């Protein structure tokens, strides 16, 4: 029976011969550990998943500029100020690499930007915690960037070419972020009692949120499996969290400080790190917008966009004028 | 709120050092060519990654059709004799 209304391609319940062929080509690329490129056919869900993941990642970089930008004027020396500026500039850059990769999936920059400004899109919940002291710059670099690196290194091999390439660039630049953070904490830990206390306090506040950056436990993360089947994700949330907590458990000894987790130990039998139960209710609350500084971060982003409007308008007007005089 | 919808997309190519080709680094939006080059410098050469930059409007790039790729790149297949490794009899002969 012929349908009464014309059907859009792809909406029919029965895939056409062409769709089956395309799907088979796509599956073969994934099987061979090859890469999918922008103009290749891809399943709609693969496109949507990537578009959401890459843009969320980009938004996180852009919002992630704020906690550290707030400290540039208060950095304790000119050297620290320069380092912090370079780091914030890198984060802007990472956001732009990622937006470019996300745009290859067919959504425009303006749409992504609008999703962020309207509050429709999510970004990493870690940036909804305030950076209260100078030591927080250290803890953010060491723990937050450290967790980000652990997450991002496997993404360099993501099955979508533009995403992987953007991540290679990001990872190359990110390692300085973690080291500079660690060195801030190291300086403080070798300083006065008050400085040491400040460093310990920062670690205490960022430890749990940093571990939660890897996302919910595997059994509560239904989308992960599909992402792993598509080779976007290479390791599960818990695997990555394990790897990370094992690294920082050693690194914290160099600082002469402690992680706020008396239960943390390596289980020789299970061959895995056991850490305390994380507060997933808090995680969900922060994601839903009820973190300590969600509203402040969003307002600052909108304000920055508004305040930059005249620059964008002037640049566009100048470009239009130049184009006209070329024609004339 | 002003949008940048009319800002074209530019592809950025970076020559990392003298003697090497320009290699595609990524893309960016900019209102005109001059801004594109400046933005490309800030975005893609923050750590001395380049000594020269090209920016090209994405819409000016002509590419092969991905749907035709098998047929389009068919010609070299089965022509192993275009590679030095095809010639086995001369193996072991020095400087050859």
């Amino acid at each position: 029976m012929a349908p009464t209304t014309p059907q859009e391609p792809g909406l029919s319940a029965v895939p056409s011969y062409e769709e089956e062929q395309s799907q088979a080509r796509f599956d073969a690329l994934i099987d061979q550990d090859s890469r999918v490129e922008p103009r290749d056919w891809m399943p709609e869900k693969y496109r949507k998943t990537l578009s959401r993941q890459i843009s969320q990642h980009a938004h996180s970089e852009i919002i992630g500029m704020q906690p550290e930008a707030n400290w540039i004027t208060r950095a304790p020396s000119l050297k620290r100020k320069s380092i912090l500026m370079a780091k914030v500039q890198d984060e802007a850059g990472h956001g732009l690499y990622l937006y470019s990769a996300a745009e290859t999936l067919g959504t425009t920059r303006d749409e992504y930007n609008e999703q962020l400004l309207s509050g429709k899109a999510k970004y990493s919940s870690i940036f909804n915690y305030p950076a209260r002291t100078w030591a927080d710059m250290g803890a953010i670099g060491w723990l937050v960037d450290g967790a980000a690196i652990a997450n991002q290194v496997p993404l360099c091999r993501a099955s979508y070419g533009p995403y992987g390439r953007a991540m290679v660039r990001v990872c190359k630049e990110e390692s300085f972020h973690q080291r500079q953070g660690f060195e801030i904490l190291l300086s403080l830990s070798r300083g006065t009692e008050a400085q040491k206390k400040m460093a310990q306090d920062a670690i205490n506040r960022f430890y749990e949120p940093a571990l939660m950056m890897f996302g919910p436990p595997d059994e509560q993360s239904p989308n992960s499996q599909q992402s792993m089947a598509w080779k976007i994700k290479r390791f599960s949330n818990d695997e990555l969290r394990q790897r990370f907590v094992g690294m920082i458990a050693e690194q914290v000894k160099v600082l002469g400080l402690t992680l706020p987790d008396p239960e943390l130990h390596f289980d020789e039998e299970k061959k895995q790190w056991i850490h305390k139960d994380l507060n997933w209710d808090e995680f969900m609350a922060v994601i839903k917008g009820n973190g300590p500084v969600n509203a402040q971060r969003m307002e600052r982003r909108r304000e920055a966009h508004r305040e930059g409007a005249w620059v964008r308008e002037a640049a566009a007007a100048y470009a239009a004028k130049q184009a006209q005089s070329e024609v004339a | 709120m002003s949008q940048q919808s009319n800002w074209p997309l530019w592809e950025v190519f970076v020559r990392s050092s003298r003697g090497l080709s320009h290699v595609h680094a990524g893309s960016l939006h900019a209102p005109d060519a001059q801004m594109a080059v400046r933005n490309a410098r800030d975005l893609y050469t923050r750590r001395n990654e380049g000594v020269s930059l090209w920016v090209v409007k994405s819409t000016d790039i002509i590419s092969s059709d991905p749907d035709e790729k098998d047929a389009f790149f068919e010609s070299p297949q089965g022509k192993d004799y275009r590679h030095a490794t095809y010639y086995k009899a001369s193996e072991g002969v020095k400087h050859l």
Side-chain angles (χ1 to χ4, degrees):
Chain A
M1 198 175 73
T4 48
T5 49
Q7 280 191 312
E8 281 181 56
L11 288 183
S12 154
V14 184
S16 67
Y17 175 72
E18 284 79 17
E19 277 173 323
E20 273 175 10
Q21 292 290 100
S22 303
Q23 179 76 47
R25 266 202 297 274
F26 173 84
D27 292 343
L29 283 178
I30 301 289
D31 278 351
Q32 294 155 13
D33 230 337
S34 184
R35 297 292 182 269
V36 178
E37 293 295 341
R39 293 174 68 199
D40 290 331
W41 182 93
M42 60 189 93
E44 220 25 59
K45 274 192 183 158
Y46 177 82
R47 186 186 296 277
K48 270 196 186 138
T49 299
L50 277 168
S51 175
R52 198 189 60 229
Q53 179 174 337
I54 303 174
S55 63
Q56 277 181 4
H57 198 154
H59 300 327
S60 302
E61 296 283 356
I62 299 299
I63 297 289
M65 295 163 77
Q66 290 186 34
E68 287 158 319
N70 289 340
W71 275 93
I72 290 174
T73 55
R74 291 173 284 172
S77 68
L78 186 57
K79 186 184 84 179
R80 297 286 190 197
K81 239 186 252 294
S82 308
I83 292 171
L84 216 46
M85 280 197 281
K87 185 168 188 284
V88 172
Q89 200 188 7
D90 273 354
E91 277 146 14
H94 298 174
L96 294 178
Y97 305 152
L98 287 160
Y99 280 128
S100 290
E103 277 182 273
T104 61
L105 293 158
T107 305
T108 66
R109 178 74 58 92
D110 286 341
E111 288 172 89
Y112 286 128
N113 199 30
E114 189 47 40
Q115 287 169 3
L116 175 62
L117 293 177
S118 70
K120 192 180 157 222
K122 303 267 186 282
Y123 54 84
S124 178
S125 60
I126 193 78
F127 302 116
N128 292 318
Y129 292 88
R132 297 189 199 283
T133 68
W134 171 249
D136 286 13
M137 295 302 99
I140 288 175
W142 176 45
L143 295 175
V144 175
D145 289 296
I149 292 169
N151 228 338
Q152 289 167 352
V153 167
L155 288 174
C156 294
R157 295 189 292 128
S159 60
Y160 189 56
Y163 193 24
R165 292 193 284 275
M167 291 319 303
V168 168
R169 234 163 230 293
V170 169
C171 286
K172 261 190 207 161
E173 300 181 355
E174 198 89 42
S175 55
F176 119 69
H177 297 184
Q178 195 188 13
R179 280 198 179 199
Q180 67 86 35
F182 190 82
E183 291 199 10
I184 289 175
L185 292 176
L186 199 57
S187 301
L188 290 172
S189 74
R190 289 172 179 170
T192 64
E193 262 320 295
Q195 286 171 327
K196 202 170 167 177
K197 217 174 134 192
M198 191 201 274
Q200 183 63 59
D201 169 67
I203 294 172
N204 292 351
R205 279 181 290 111
F206 278 95
Y207 173 73
E208 257 200 78
L211 290 193
M212 290 196 280
M213 283 173 69
F214 297 96
D218 293 347
E219 66 273 13
Q220 291 164 38
S221 181
N223 297 330
S224 286
Q225 281 202 327
Q226 179 62 76
S227 280
M228 286 176 77
W230 277 329
K231 295 184 182 169
I232 297 171
K233 224 174 136 74
R234 299 280 178 163
F235 301 97
S236 78
N237 296 354
D238 286 329
E239 282 174 322
L240 292 168
R241 191 169 9 248
Q242 277 283 316
R243 194 177 298 178
F244 176 64
V245 84
M247 289 191 281
I248 60 172
E250 289 303 313
Q251 292 165 349
V252 76
K253 293 178 189 164
V254 181
L255 295 173
L257 300 169
T258 56
L259 295 174
D261 187 350
E263 293 168 46
L264 184 65
H265 67 279
F266 189 73
D267 187 323
E268 289 292 347
E269 261 177 46
K270 291 183 187 162
K271 293 281 169 224
Q272 62 175 4
W273 285 89
I274 307 296
H275 55 75
K276 67 175 174 185
D277 285 335
L278 302 171
N279 187 348
W280 293 107
D281 292 338
E282 177 186 298
F283 178 80
M284 290 317 294
V286 177
I287 281 197
K288 290 202 174 99
N290 301 315
V293 294
N294 288 56
Q296 187 188 321
R297 297 284 188 245
M298 284 307 297
E299 185 40 42
R300 177 68 194 114
R301 178 85 281 276
R302 292 188 189 112
E303 184 189 16
H305 192 70
R306 271 198 308 275
E307 285 176 355
W310 72 271
V311 180
R312 295 192 297 277
E313 281 159 17
Y318 180 76
K321 205 171 149 191
Q322 293 295 107
Q324 239 173 13
S325 63
E326 266 172 40
V327 175
Chain B
M1 218 168 261
S2 83
Q3 296 294 312
Q4 54 182 50
S5 322
N6 46 359
W7 289 14
L9 189 67
W10 305 77
E11 298 301 326
V12 179
F13 299 81
V14 179
R15 183 202 291 283
S16 56
S17 72
R18 288 179 171 277
L20 296 177
S21 309
H22 287 76
V23 174
H24 185 239
S27 54
L28 52 80
H29 287 277
D32 58 39
Q34 198 186 355
M35 287 289 283
V37 171
R38 283 172 184 236
N39 290 355
R41 177 200 58 192
D42 293 346
L43 191 54
Y44 291 104
T45 63
R46 287 196 300 284
R47 290 177 173 79
N48 292 322
E49 290 96 334
V51 295
S52 165
L53 281 172
W54 287 348
V55 296
V56 183
K57 264 190 199 167
S58 302
T59 49
D60 287 344
I61 292 178
I62 316 295
S63 65
S64 57
D65 182 348
D67 295 330
E68 279 181 11
K69 66 171 173 245
D70 294 341
F72 192 76
F73 294 107
E74 194 176 36
S75 164
Q77 277 175 25
K79 296 181 184 169
D80 295 353
Y81 49 82
R82 287 181 173 175
H83 296 275
T85 47
Y86 175 81
Y87 302 90
K88 307 273 190 225
S90 48
E91 238 167 56
V93 180
K94 280 185 179 171
H95 308 300
L96 193 70

